[in-house]
Amino acid sequence: MPGSNTVTTEERGVERKPEEYVTKNEEEAEEDHLAPSRWWFSSTLFPLIAGTFGPLATAFNICALIMDWRVVVDSTSTEAEGTDIRDPKWLLAVNGIALVIAVLANVALLAHMFDRLSFAISQLATIIGWYVSSFILIGLVAAAPSRLPLPAGENRTFSQAYYYAILSAALYAILASLLVCTSSGVYIGRYSRKYKLSFSQRTLMVQAIAFIGYILAAAAVYSRIEGWDFLDAVYWTDVTILTIGFGDYTPKTHLGRGLLFPMAIGGILFVGLIIESIRTLVLERGTKKVTVRMVEKVREQALKNIDTTQGSVQFRPFGKSRVHKNVSSELDRRERDFNIMRDVQKKAANNNRMIALSVSAGSWMLLWLVGAVVFWQAEQGYADWTYFESLYFTYVSLLTIGYGDFYPQNNSAKPAFVLWSLIALPTLTVLIGAIGDSISEGVSTLTLWIGEHLPNRKSTIADLKDDAALAAGSAYQETKPPGFTSDGEAEDRDFEKKTDADAERGVDRNMKERNAQCDTTQQNFSGAGKHNRHYLLMKAMKDVVQHLNASTPRKYTYAEWTWFLKLLGEDESKSDRHREIRMVQDGEERRDMSGTAQAGAREGDGDMQPWSWMGPKSPLMSSIAEPQWVLERLMSTLEEQLKEKGEEHDGRKTTGFLNRKQGQRKSEGCENVESA
């Protein structure tokens, strides 16, 4: 009963069954607020990470194969100036086998991504292939110190190729383990045998392959032109494309400097394209999924701690929000539920914003501090950096400043820097985006608050108020007729045109007649009511279209929602088609939770399905913007109405034709009788 503290399955929410999640495509999986976020990460994000970093691991494997693993350096030269010692043939052969297996594993994964290979074959080939390549490289790395002897009395060291083999083995093992997590979920029936990836997300993997190929090709060209070691050229290409530019390697030939013009701009465009793809295809999709799930969690928390008798709802351990406890009508009760749901959205948005900022800032700090430890240890015994100097170096590199006073010199530091920089720069970009979003939201909120509290008078201050409200995305014309929800009837003064008032009165009168007959189907609209409704639907769609391009997504007031729902055939003042909080049967809720219908949807017999503003089928639970939700429903309703009108017209034409034919037969019969 209203005011009771009993919580049913609608209020608590029902965790999505795995077999229900399996059948969803990528868009539905993101919008499913009942499915835990970990399901989406395992079924979508893990395969995407594997497909993106797999080519990078293979590129490092190539670097480990084409250069010798040992270098002899005298006391007066740097490691980059050392003399290579040829690797034995068995090392090259085993290393080549690891590379071939890894390439086939990448091809198998990419083939499944584009529906060219079955899941079972693809996963078996990819996981086993990457694990085998990783174990082979680990074995070679472990055996190198004892099986690759150096001349006595020489200052021996390992080249960059040796450390690229270590990085490649680690990446293979990590990526294969991620796919094992996904595959285990598939085999227990939790995820689909087809990755929930959109075409754009698959495109990101192709972009990563092209980018890695671009770096290796540019390095091959410059190692030939400038006479650099190939792996030094890879390091230089990475530093150049990421706009760090330490200055330890620079082109000296005219050809090298001339080719830098197209090479650098092409690489920078590649980096920008991939970073934008990571942000829009991975992070925004992930944020969307986390947001949907966060709204559901806050909604459940609010429903567990709502007390309509005391007029309070608690979203957090400390502090309560006040709600109206004395509601005199169904319209007031619905508005109260609507306002609570708006508070749920605000709380969820704040939580999500803080999570995104915390995760991106934490990732950036981790890369900074851990990267400083790695380079500090790598340069020990060579450049002898202190930890503070290493912190300074990684900070300057993260911000792409690159003074050049500190730069990697050790053979172990350069491969580590290539991997670290390729991960760190996108992380910094994501952090800047998260900070920008938080600042933008704060400025918009402040601007809107200023617009609402400035004096309302016809002056320059009033103009500033309008500009502030417009900048916050809260302006544009009011979509619903003013005063509509007060008495349910329109007056001429409420509308810009008398035609609008007449049309609304016609729809309102028709709905009252339909309710009096206890008929909730749309087919019972009178002819005049239909024409009026068609006019208002078109006018509402014209207004809503202007809200689609708002910089800040438009959120409609309760009065506007009431108007839209009336155009859809739903009367907010009638309780027979509404659910009250905690008044839902478990079986009925299970049926609704597994379906796809939302507010405004109809059952098989044409009746409007009962729903609640705080229920899982509320329009405010949708992941799409409110103007888009409203526009889709308005267009669907208009389409149904026009289709019905066409069918009625065809029916009348058929009936008239049959009547005329019957009349002709009667007339012919009479003539025959007279003739006889």
Side-chain angles (χ1 to χ4, degrees), residues 406-445:
F406 289 90
Y407 53 87
Q409 302 178 48
N410 192 283
N411 280 343
S412 62
K414 291 178 181 178
F417 181 82
V418 172
L419 175 61
W420 177 83
S421 61
L422 291 175
I423 299 175
L425 186 60
T427 303
L428 174 64
T429 305
V430 172
L431 174 61
I432 293 174
I435 294 175
D437 292 341
S438 299
I439 294 176
S440 176
E441 181 66 22
V443 171
S444 297
T445 302

Side-chain angles (χ1 to χ4, degrees), residues 329-344:
S329 66
E330 174 68 10
L331 202 61
D332 292 337
R333 185 189 69 79
R334 295 280 287 182
E335 185 173 8
R336 180 198 63 190
D337 295 350
F338 176 88
N339 292 332
I340 296 175
M341 196 61 197
R342 279 290 189 227
D343 292 337
V344 167

Side-chain angles (χ1 to χ4, degrees), residues 46-68:
F46 286 178
L48 188 59
I49 292 175
T52 304
F53 281 88
L56 180 62
T58 303
F60 286 177
N61 199 343
I62 294 173
C63 293
L65 175 63
I66 63 178
M67 299 301 296
D68 297 316

